[in-house]
Amino acid sequence: MSENHRITIQKFPFSESQFLQRVKNDTTFTYSKEEELAMCKTIIGCIDLTTLEGTDNTEKVTKLCETAVSFRDDKRGIPATASVCVYPRFVALAKSKLQGTGVKVASVAGAFPAGQLPIELKVAEVSYAVAQGADEIDMVISRGAFLEGRYQEVYDEICAIRKACEGKILKVILETGELQTPQNIFRASQLAIHAGADFLKTSTGKIAVNATPEAFWVMMFAIRQHFHDHGKRVGIKVAGGVSTPEQAYTYLHIWRQNMGKEWLTPELFRVGTSRLAGKLSEKIQEIFL
């Protein structure tokens, strides 16, 4: 790190067998119908309802915004989703459709999903998204640079994007499926946290291996260690392949088990998905019946 931003990167402190046993312990649990209902409601309120496809258009984004709000049922205590997540060109549209609803607008920016652009262009895209009205920015780290050991470059890029979206929520996507080892995921988590991330995010959803409980656990541990050492709360977002309620319950349980119920809020826990909210709503209807 540079002289003005010197940080200490810790080693992941577990052997493979210790780590896997801890993950197994935290993903083995049971729940009652009442507990499942509470989990469903909580998760809906923590969802970033997402569309990030080449076929995205005005009609599709408008429908996404309507869907995000439609889950709200005050009588049953069901919230709207936390946000919608779209490409930068649709931010202004989403912002106008969600005005007054309390649902935030998140935008991927900074050369999503590959991160393979010069930092000047990444910053320009982030600045554009902010100017269009984005409340939250989901950026990707440069995995190629990271895997070559160019940690200073990765850190500096996150800092530059942090500055470009000052005052907005910054989620830093690690793309854990490409980082290969718990040590790499732990190191990347620390870099992102020290560079100013408000959230760590697992994945883009655009590669073969996306979110896993193992990667999520490592990120959670980095967040917990940083809070213990520095008192700063950083959130976590699981994304990529989380399409069933049961998968979502697992991530919620890992987070709650290790961090406590007070960390289980939209300010500190998110799930990025396009299909899960509808399935959770159906599950709620089944339980009420």
Side-chain angles (χ1 to χ4, degrees):
M1 300 304 104
S2 66
E3 286 297 318
N4 293 329
H5 298 90
R6 190 177 298 278
I7 64 173
T8 301
I9 300 297
Q10 302 172 2
K11 291 184 178 181
F12 189 56
F14 303 105
S15 68
E16 183 177 3
S17 61
Q18 290 173 327
F19 160 57
L20 292 177
Q21 185 59 53
R22 285 173 177 258
V23 175
K24 182 179 179 180
N25 292 344
D26 285 344
T27 54
T28 303
F29 61 102
T30 59
Y31 47 85
S32 66
K33 282 294 182 182
E34 291 76 14
E35 290 167 333
E36 184 174 21
L37 178 61
M39 286 192 292
C40 286
K41 292 179 179 180
T42 296
I43 294 166
I44 287 177
C46 294
I47 283 177
D48 290 350
L49 195 63
T50 302
T51 184
L52 297 170
E53 302 296 336
T55 55
D56 289 349
N57 54 41
T58 298
E59 181 180 358
K60 190 174 181 181
V61 172
T62 297
K63 179 63 175 177
L64 186 79
C65 295
E66 293 170 350
T67 300
V69 177
S70 72
F71 295 106
R72 181 177 288 132
D73 184 335
D74 293 334
K75 289 184 178 180
R76 291 184 170 181
I78 305 169
T81 68
S83 82
V84 299
C85 184
V86 295
Y87 280 117
R89 66 173 299 185
F90 296 109
V91 166
L93 171 64
K95 192 75 172 180
S96 67
K97 297 298 181 183
L98 292 169
Q99 187 173 3
T101 67
V103 178
K104 304 296 185 183
V105 177
S107 178
V108 294
F112 177 93
Q116 296 286 10
L117 278 179
I119 186 58
E120 294 82 6
L121 297 181
K122 293 181 181 183
V123 167
E125 186 181 28
V126 170
S127 298
Y128 171 81
V130 170
Q132 291 292 295
D135 302 297
E136 304 175 357
I137 296 294
D138 289 31
M139 66 158 285
V140 293
I141 68 166
S142 297
R143 284 87 72 194
F146 180 89
L147 292 171
E148 287 186 340
R150 289 155 36 210
Y151 305 133
Q152 181 71 57
E153 179 180 334
V154 175
Y155 175 82
D156 289 345
E157 285 197 351
I158 300 171
C159 287
I161 291 175
R162 167 75 281 174
K163 185 176 180 180
C165 62
E166 187 175 357
K168 309 298 181 181
I169 295 297
L170 177 62
K171 309 189 199 93
V172 178
I173 308 169
L174 305 184
E175 197 68 292
T176 55
E178 293 182 341
L179 296 187
Q180 303 170 358
T181 68
Q183 180 60 64
N184 279 344
I185 296 170
F186 191 57
R187 182 180 288 119
S189 297
Q190 292 176 80
L191 285 174
I193 291 170
H194 283 286
D198 296 301
F199 278 78
L200 301 181
K201 178 177 172 181
T202 59
S203 320
T204 63
K206 301 297 185 183
I207 65 171
V209 179
N210 289 288
T212 66
E214 292 78 12
F216 183 88
W217 198 97
V218 176
M219 295 161 63
M220 175 280 301
F221 184 77
I223 289 168
R224 192 174 72 175
Q225 285 296 102
H226 189 78
F227 180 69
H228 179 269
D229 294 341
H230 302 280
K232 177 187 176 183
R233 293 179 187 263
V234 175
I236 198 166
K237 177 175 174 179
V238 56
V242 186
S243 59
T244 69
E246 291 73 21
Q247 289 171 324
Y249 302 162
T250 295
Y251 293 108
L252 179 152
H253 182 75
I254 293 172
W255 187 244
R256 181 176 59 191
Q257 182 77 2
N258 288 279
M259 306 301 292
K261 290 183 180 180
E262 67 272 19
W263 289 68
L264 197 56
T265 69
E267 289 73 36
L268 292 167
F269 180 75
R270 296 287 182 91
V271 181
T273 181
S274 60
R275 304 182 300 277
L276 178 63
K279 293 179 181 179
L280 289 167
S281 181
E282 291 172 3
K283 183 72 71 174
I284 289 172
Q285 299 306 318
E286 291 174 11
I287 294 172
F288 270 117
L289 291 176

